[in-house]
């Protein structure tokens, strides 16, 4: 069935379109784009997008789907439902499952399960090291054949620089992206919060910014040495950002992402031993947060990625030092990004670039992240003004671990469309 989306503001930074255009989807692709009222399509299902913004579908470069192994937190089915509810039409899922996605059998399982149960596109990331143990390389070649788009030990750092160098060399051969979880694990130790005043006042062990920056610097140097494509996950410090900026200037093939929680919150959110604000890397200082906002504005930061990290309440509602790291993020990303637009930190076009166009480019997804005839009909339609007060029951994820409960959020997803099919509608 053809789908006609009319009367909306079509915004696509990849092609430079911004205006009142109608769009027709046919056979899973974008079939026609024309000024409002110009497309006549008999028999098409019509979506009236008045007052809404139509953009290329959002692509999350950093999701934890938890399947196989941690299905009590999330499954491929519930994780993709959460993605669709957040406007994401494609997600990249991390390898820290159980068993770890370090071989083709697990990659094939994820790809197959995503086809059967997933409602958005799922692109797996394979592990760098076997079992995420940092000792020997995972089956990178076989996982590539099975469909991975990159490699990462996310959740852990490959602390052995020689192994990381080898991983980058392999990745280059396979044209794979290497995603770095940058944390010197010896230096961060048991730190479960940013090292600073709040940690001291709460009597909690802190992790210093330098733990992150040392590995950002190392991995940049290794990318420079090998010529591989490096992507820094969840960057959270000012100096880390400066290291990326300097590397880009030198021509190193490095990109980076920040999460909505790192550009929205600081370690102040942890006061009261709030485990919902516990994550790795930890929430940092206001100085760091402001630097991230500048990076989003000036283009040094390439991507907003959620680091959607679902955990069950029994894993979060425990003593702070014992609580699991991470928050669910797919269903709050747009609204938190729109706060930056409202505060005039970035434009709406820049937000869409960060949520869709740039991830598509970095991942090499040529038919996604843009609105053009012949491209995949993966689209997000949202009302930029509509407000909601966030309550756990609104979330489609199996887990509800978020520090944004009770926040009044602006911007709601009205339709998420994958391959020309509506996969979400509130
Ligand atoms: O907060 C986090 N949670 N950071 C990570 O790097 C891993 C993630 C998880 O898997 O829960």
């Amino acid at each position: 069935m053809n789908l006609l989306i009319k009367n909306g503001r079509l915004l696509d930074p990849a092609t430079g379109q911004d205006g009142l255009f109608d769009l027709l989807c046919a056979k899973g692709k974008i079939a026609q784009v024309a000024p409002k009222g110009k497309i006549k399509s008999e028999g098409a299902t019509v979506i009236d997008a008045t007052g809404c913004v139509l953009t290329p579908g959002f692509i999350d470069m950093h999701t934890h789907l938890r399947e196989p192994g941690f299905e009590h937190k999330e499954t491929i089915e519930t994780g993709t439902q959460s993605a669709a509810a957040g406007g994401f039409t494609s997600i990249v899922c991390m390898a820290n499952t159980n068993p770890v996605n370090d071989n083709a059998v697990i990659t094939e399982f994820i790809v197959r399960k995503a086809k059967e149960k997933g409602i958005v596109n799922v692109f797996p990331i394979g592990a760098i090291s076997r079992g995420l143990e940092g000792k020997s390389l995972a089956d990178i070649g076989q996982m590539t054949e099975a469909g991975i788009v990159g490699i990462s030990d996310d959740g852990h750092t490959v602390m052995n620089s020689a192994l990381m160098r080898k991983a980058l060399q392999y990745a280059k051969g396979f044209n794979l992206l290497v995603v770095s979880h940058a944390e010197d694990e010896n230096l961060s130790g048991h730190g479960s919060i940013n090292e600073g005043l709040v940690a001291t006042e709460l009597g909690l062990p802190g992790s210093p910014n330098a733990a992150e920056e040392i590995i950002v610097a190392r991995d940049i140097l290794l990318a420079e040495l090998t010529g591989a494509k490096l992507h820094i996950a969840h960057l959270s410090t000012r100096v880390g950002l400066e290291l990326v900026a300097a590397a880009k200037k030198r021509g190193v093939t490095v990109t980076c992402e920040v999460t909505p929680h790192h550009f929205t919150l600081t370690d102040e959110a942890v006061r009261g031993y709030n485990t919902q604000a516990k994550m790795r890397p930890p929430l940092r200082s206001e100085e760091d947060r402001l630097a991230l906002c500048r990076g989003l504005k000036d283009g040094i930061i390439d991507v907003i990625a959620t680091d959607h990290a679902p955990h069950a309440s029994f894993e979060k509602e425990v003593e702070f030092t014992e609580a699991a790291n991470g928050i669910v993020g797919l269903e709050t990303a747009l609204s938190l990004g729109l706060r930056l637009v409202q505060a005039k930190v970035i434009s709406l076009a820049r937000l869409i670039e960060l949520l869709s166009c740039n991830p598509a480019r970095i991942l090499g997804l040529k038919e996604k992240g843009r609105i053009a005839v012949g491209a995949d009909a993966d689209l997000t339609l949202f009302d930029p003004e509509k407000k909601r007060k966030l309550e756990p029951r609104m979330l489609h994820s199996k887990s509800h671990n978020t520090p944004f409960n009770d926040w009044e959020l602006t911007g709601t997803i009205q339709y998420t469309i994958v391959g020309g099919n509506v996969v979400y509608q509130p």
Side-chain angles (χ1 to χ4, degrees):
M1 176 69 89
N2 293 356
L3 187 67
L4 176 62
I5 306 161
K6 53 187 229 183
N7 306 328
R9 171 181 171 194
L10 187 150
L11 176 62
D12 174 23
T15 55
Q17 299 169 97
D18 183 2
L20 295 175
F21 293 94
D22 294 349
L23 182 150
L24 182 71
C25 308
K27 297 191 183 121
K29 301 283 178 190
I30 295 169
Q32 203 181 342
V33 181
K36 181 178 161 175
K38 293 283 182 221
I39 302 179
K40 302 267 171 289
S41 182
E42 308 275 305
T45 303
V46 176
I47 292 176
D48 182 2
T50 305
C52 292
V53 183
L54 179 66
T55 69
F58 303 162
I59 300 171
D60 188 27
M61 285 187 66
H62 196 141
T63 300
H64 295 272
L65 281 179
R66 305 301 192 205
E67 190 177 355
F70 301 112
E71 289 85 354
H72 65 284
K73 299 172 194 266
E74 194 80 284
T75 62
I76 290 172
E77 185 172 9
T78 59
T80 58
Q81 282 166 358
S82 177
F88 289 92
T89 53
S90 295
I91 54 179
V92 171
C93 64
M94 286 297 168
N96 61 344
T97 49
N98 184 20
V100 169
N101 184 16
D102 60 6
N103 65 79
V105 173
I106 304 299
T107 308
E108 279 160 11
F109 166 82
I110 294 168
V111 170
R112 191 176 63 243
K113 202 71 194 278
K115 277 207 182 95
E116 281 166 20
K117 301 276 183 186
I119 61 168
V120 305
N121 305 297
V122 173
F123 297 99
I125 290 258
I128 293 175
S129 72
R130 222 171 277 268
L132 304 177
E133 285 175 354
K135 292 186 184 140
S136 59
L137 286 186
D139 298 344
I140 296 171
Q142 287 171 11
M143 288 192 293
T144 306
E145 279 172 28
I148 60 166
V149 291
I151 51 172
S152 180
D153 271 7
D154 183 67
H156 294 280
T157 297
V158 178
M159 285 301 295
N160 181 330
S161 303
L163 189 72
M164 189 62 173
R165 175 191 188 176
K166 211 189 262 180
L168 285 152
Q169 279 166 334
Y170 261 78
K172 189 176 182 210
F174 292 111
N175 194 27
L176 284 172
L177 189 67
V178 181
V179 180
S180 165
H181 173 108
E183 174 186 350
D184 183 319
E185 292 179 358
N186 300 311
L187 193 53
S188 64
H190 298 294
S192 51
I193 173 178
N194 183 46
E195 186 172 296
L197 186 68
V198 179
T200 307
E201 286 184 11
L202 294 179
L204 291 171
S207 173
N209 286 17
E212 179 169 332
E213 291 147 3
I214 285 168
I215 301 298
V216 171
R218 181 202 71 173
D219 287 353
I220 284 171
L221 292 170
L222 292 176
E224 204 162 7
L225 184 65
T226 56
K229 290 186 292 189
L230 176 70
H231 179 75
I232 309 285
H234 41 50
L235 195 80
S236 73
T237 78
R238 175 181 62 80
V239 172
L241 194 61
E242 285 169 10
L243 289 164
V244 172
K248 284 185 169 187
K249 219 171 170 183
R250 288 203 303 281
V252 183
T253 46
V254 59
T255 51
C256 68
E257 68 187 33
V258 293
T259 71
H261 40 282
H262 286 107
F263 67 66
T264 305
L265 300 172
T266 67
D267 54 1
E268 290 292 331
V270 179
R271 284 198 192 277
Y273 300 91
N274 180 10
T275 58
Q276 300 296 353
K278 182 183 175 191
M279 63 270 300
R280 272 175 44 214
L283 297 169
R284 302 287 187 187
S285 67
E286 180 66 359
E287 184 199 345
D288 291 307
R289 192 189 72 80
L290 290 174
L292 298 182
C293 290
R294 281 197 301 279
L296 287 164
K297 183 182 177 153
D298 65 22
I300 298 302
I301 294 167
D302 302 276
V303 168
I304 292 175
T306 70
D307 195 2
H308 178 82
H311 293 291
S313 49
F314 73 85
E315 295 158 318
K316 273 294 201 183
E317 288 163 19
V318 292
E319 203 180 323
F320 192 87
T321 48
E322 301 303 313
N325 285 296
I327 68 167
V328 291
L330 289 163
E331 295 173 66
T332 44
L334 171 67
S335 295
L336 296 173
L338 284 170
R339 281 165 54 94
L340 297 181
V341 177
Q342 280 144 17
K344 301 210 178 330
V345 175
I346 55 172
S347 66
L348 187 58
R350 173 80 180 126
L351 178 62
I352 302 310
E353 206 172 273
L354 290 155
L355 283 170
S356 178
C357 317
N358 288 355
R361 179 177 47 78
I362 293 165
L363 292 164
L365 304 174
K366 292 203 172 62
E367 301 309 328
K368 302 193 186 296
R370 67 197 174 95
I371 294 181
V373 171
D376 292 344
D378 290 0
L379 301 157
T380 304
L381 184 67
F382 60 91
D383 182 334
E385 308 292 342
K386 201 166 168 188
K387 296 188 191 323
R388 68 194 154 129
K389 189 165 162 216
L390 192 73
E391 291 171 36
R393 64 177 177 82
M394 293 174 173
L395 298 173
H396 296 70
S397 169
K398 204 169 202 177
S399 296
H400 297 157
N401 48 311
T402 169
F404 299 111
N405 266 328
D406 292 331
W407 278 46
E408 178 150 285
L409 299 175
T410 304
T412 56
I413 302 297
Q414 297 301 112
Y415 284 89
T416 305
I417 296 160
V418 175
N421 295 314
V422 174
V423 295
Y424 173 78
Q425 204 188 337

